[in-house]
Amino acid sequence: MQPKHLWSLLFRILPKLLGLPASLLKKFRKEGLVELDIAMGTLPELPHDVLMNIFCTLEVPDLVRAGSVCSSWHAAYTCLRDLGKYKQSQTPCLFYTSESAGDNVGFLYSLKENRSYKLTLPEPPIRSRFLIGSSNGWLITADERSELHLVNPLTGEQVALPSVMTIEHVKPIFDVSGAIHKYELSYDIWEVSLPPSLHDPSDLRECLYFKISFARPGDDKWTWVGQVIMDEMTYPICESMYIIQAPWGDLLQVSRTVEVLPNAPWYVPGSGNYRARTLKTKVCKVDLEAKQLMEINRLPCHILFLGHNNSLCLSAEGHPGLKSNHAYFTDDLKELTVEYKNSTRDMGVMDLENSVKKDIVSQIWSNWPCPTWITPNLMKLNLAFSK
């Protein structure tokens, strides 16, 4: 980090840290940068606790840059990251891949900075994986053997989850050499009269991980969670449902209505390039006592993030670069994201009041794996999921 950029960073965060209006520092910033190189050579080293207090106000991209300045700054950065003292609210980023960048490369697009960061991820190649979702800064992925891995794209930390063959209704079928040839997926546990189905190891992930099992830290197998199976939505209107805990304590139920029509103007006949189009996002407050939904459809001081990510409702005041009373969304329709891998994704930002939709950015991503929101997180696994 160059001295000029370092001072620019400090001037952005000092007013907030000291409770001062930014206007008081404008003159010093304008005049002080003239002799910046001399000043940098004479400044005393800031105490460790002061550095940590400053760094606590930074979002992840700025924090990583600050941690690379010198040894003392890196020590403060490491302490915040490893001891769980860094709790600054983060602006979600769009995780995506690009075919031209390579199979092990992912990108984070920062809505706050309007720029992308290139990241190298561990094996297996991220472009060969199925992105199931994201939570607490971690991607949940399924590889070409349908095995699950958690991966943090910022730190490169990766954790293999219990094997798919430990799921109650999955049975491996071996060939003569002892290798897994197929998986048999049983439907008996769902109390429906369908015969078991056979799947190649690479195909099982496309239908299995929309059901619910769980594993605690240290478990070597999955535990099944019983669930109610609902009828499918009527074609061509589909609806995705999200349950979100609002910052003020209320429980929100958000529904997103999506249209999928093969004869729409943007559909190319014979191409198999079905495209979804989000029509409306409806927000309801859940009244648990009355067991009722109250439609509100306005979040004047808040922002929604919808998709394969853990659904979020964030304060607009804490994220001034984002659009208040809007929902940022990515494609999460299983029928299209799995079966039509090359279809253009349904992504954008929608005004909750009038359903007007705009693009987030011109397309910079490959359509597979499906781009998804992720909230940057530098903490180790045991700290990231301990909140």
Side-chain angles (χ1 to χ4, degrees):
M1 182 180 285
Q2 296 296 320
K4 180 189 293 187
H5 298 151
L6 175 58
W7 273 107
S8 176
L9 174 63
L10 289 174
F11 279 123
R12 292 211 319 263
I13 61 176
L14 279 174
K16 180 179 178 181
L17 183 66
L18 300 176
L20 300 174
S23 59
L24 293 181
L25 292 174
K26 282 185 178 179
K27 182 177 180 181
F28 177 74
R29 176 169 53 185
K30 182 177 180 181
E31 298 176 358
L33 288 176
V34 177
E35 299 182 359
L36 184 59
D37 290 334
I38 298 175
M40 285 297 295
T42 59
L43 277 176
E45 188 171 290
L46 292 174
H48 188 76
D49 58 339
V50 174
L51 282 175
M52 290 181 62
N53 286 337
I54 294 174
F55 289 0
C56 278
T57 68
L58 303 178
E59 289 208 28
V60 163
D62 283 336
L63 178 62
V64 173
R65 284 192 284 263
S68 65
V69 170
C70 62
S71 59
S72 63
W73 286 43
H74 183 73
Y77 156 79
T78 302
C79 185
L80 284 175
R81 182 194 63 189
D82 294 348
L83 299 182
K85 296 182 178 180
Y86 177 63
K87 302 184 183 298
Q88 173 67 21
S89 177
Q90 300 294 311
T91 302
C93 295
L94 184 68
F95 178 85
Y96 67 96
T97 65
S98 172
E99 185 176 359
S100 62
D103 290 345
N104 288 82
V105 174
F107 294 86
L108 287 183
Y109 178 78
S110 169
L111 292 171
K112 184 176 181 180
E113 299 179 326
N114 295 318
R115 60 164 292 185
S116 291
Y117 293 91
K118 183 178 178 179
L119 306 167
T120 300
L121 277 67
E123 294 285 344
I126 188 64
R127 284 187 50 79
S128 70
R129 306 195 207 186
F130 178 47
L131 293 186
I132 295 174
S134 73
S135 180
N136 288 56
W138 291 72
L139 296 171
I140 303 96
T141 71
D143 65 19
E144 291 182 297
R145 305 293 296 176
S146 292
E147 298 289 358
L148 290 177
H149 305 266
L150 296 179
V151 60
N152 186 326
L154 278 177
T155 66
E157 187 180 2
Q158 180 165 269
V159 178
L161 296 179
S163 174
V164 63
M165 70 177 67
T166 67
I167 296 177
E168 185 168 345
H169 48 291
V170 174
K171 176 184 176 182
I173 298 175
F174 301 92
D175 60 21
V176 293
S177 67
I180 295 176
H181 174 60
K182 296 278 187 180
Y183 282 112
E184 181 183 277
L185 180 59
S186 169
Y187 295 89
D188 294 343
I189 197 167
W190 299 326
E191 298 180 355
V192 292
S193 57
L194 292 176
S197 58
L198 294 179
H199 302 267
D200 290 332
S202 62
D203 296 335
L204 183 65
R205 60 185 177 174
E206 297 183 359
C207 59
L208 176 64
Y209 293 119
F210 299 92
K211 309 303 178 184
I212 301 175
S213 294
F214 71 89
R216 299 182 181 89
D219 285 357
D220 59 2
K221 66 177 183 179
W222 293 97
T223 300
W224 173 253
V225 177
Q227 60 180 311
V228 177
I229 304 299
M230 298 178 64
D231 292 334
E232 294 184 358
M233 300 298 294
T234 303
Y235 181 86
I237 299 296
C238 304
E239 193 170 74
S240 296
M241 199 75 68
Y242 312 88
I243 303 298
I244 307 175
Q245 186 75 50
W248 60 90
D250 284 344
L251 193 64
L252 303 179
Q253 177 178 292
V254 180
S255 59
R256 172 177 158 197
T257 304
V258 180
E259 182 182 48
V260 184
L261 289 175
N263 60 348
W266 30 257
Y267 172 68
V268 180
S271 69
N273 186 26
Y274 284 79
R275 287 182 60 184
R277 180 171 59 183
T278 295
L279 301 178
K280 183 181 179 181
T281 301
K282 182 172 72 173
V283 182
C284 294
K285 174 185 173 182
V286 180
D287 188 331
L288 295 176
E289 292 186 1
K291 297 182 180 180
Q292 294 180 345
L293 297 176
M294 181 177 67
E295 187 170 347
I296 51 180
N297 279 345
R298 290 192 78 249
L299 295 172
C301 300
H302 291 82
I303 309 152
L304 296 178
F305 279 87
L306 309 174
H308 280 304
N309 54 293
N310 57 317
S311 304
L312 301 170
C313 180
L314 303 178
S315 166
E317 182 180 359
H319 304 275
L322 303 184
K323 297 178 182 293
S324 178
N325 198 40
H326 280 67
Y328 290 77
F329 61 91
T330 58
D331 213 344
D332 61 1
L333 272 184
K334 167 185 175 291
E335 291 79 4
L336 297 185
T337 58
V338 172
E339 297 177 20
Y340 299 95
K341 296 179 179 178
N342 295 319
S343 294
T344 302
R345 297 302 169 211
D346 178 32
M347 299 165 57
V349 53
M350 174 171 283
D351 190 317
L352 295 174
E353 196 160 2
N354 56 30
S355 297
V356 172
K357 184 177 71 173
K358 295 182 179 179
D359 290 337
I360 301 168
V361 65
S362 298
Q363 182 163 343
I364 52 179
W365 52 80
S366 295
N367 291 324
W368 178 265
C370 188
T372 191
W373 298 115
I374 186 170
T375 305
N377 194 333
L378 291 169
M379 289 191 293
K380 297 296 184 180
L381 182 67
N382 62 331
L383 291 172
F385 288 93
S386 64
K387 296 180 180 179

